[in-house]
Amino acid sequence: MKKLYTLALFLISLSVLSQVPTTMNYQGVARYANGNPIIGTIGVKVTIHQTSPGGTPVLTEQYSPITNQFGIFEIKIGTN
């Protein structure tokens, strides 16, 4: 019975230590209309709306990531 209580206490303590992440990773590819990659600094604006695409914006952030030779960029949403 003591082992059962110890196991239950351990499992409860794990749930207390867990945290909700505050950022979200996003990776994308920037390309021109002809399909060639955009190389260099680009502008990215992220807007998250409540309930639907036309809903109230709850988060709006702007980034200036630098793409690699393939046009790939990465941002962390929630840091600005």
Side-chain angles (χ1 to χ4, degrees):
M1 193 62 142
K2 185 176 180 182
K3 289 182 182 181
L4 182 61
Y5 288 128
T6 304
L7 179 62
L9 182 61
F10 176 72
L11 293 175
I12 290 171
S13 67
L14 285 179
S15 66
V16 171
L17 294 175
S18 62
Q19 297 178 359
V20 176
T22 58
T23 61
M24 180 175 67
N25 294 327
Y26 180 81
Q27 184 180 47
V29 179
R31 297 189 182 275
Y32 291 106
N34 64 5
N36 292 333
I38 299 173
I39 301 171
T41 303
I42 61 171
V44 178
K45 182 178 180 181
V46 176
T47 303
I48 298 177
H49 296 268
Q50 186 174 1
T51 66
S52 69
T56 305
V58 293
L59 175 77
T60 301
E61 296 181 341
Q62 294 185 358
Y63 300 90
S64 298
I66 300 172
T67 64
N68 66 9
Q69 69 269 24
F70 305 109
I72 298 172
F73 66 95
E74 296 178 1
I75 59 175
K76 284 188 178 279
I77 298 172
T79 58
N80 289 349

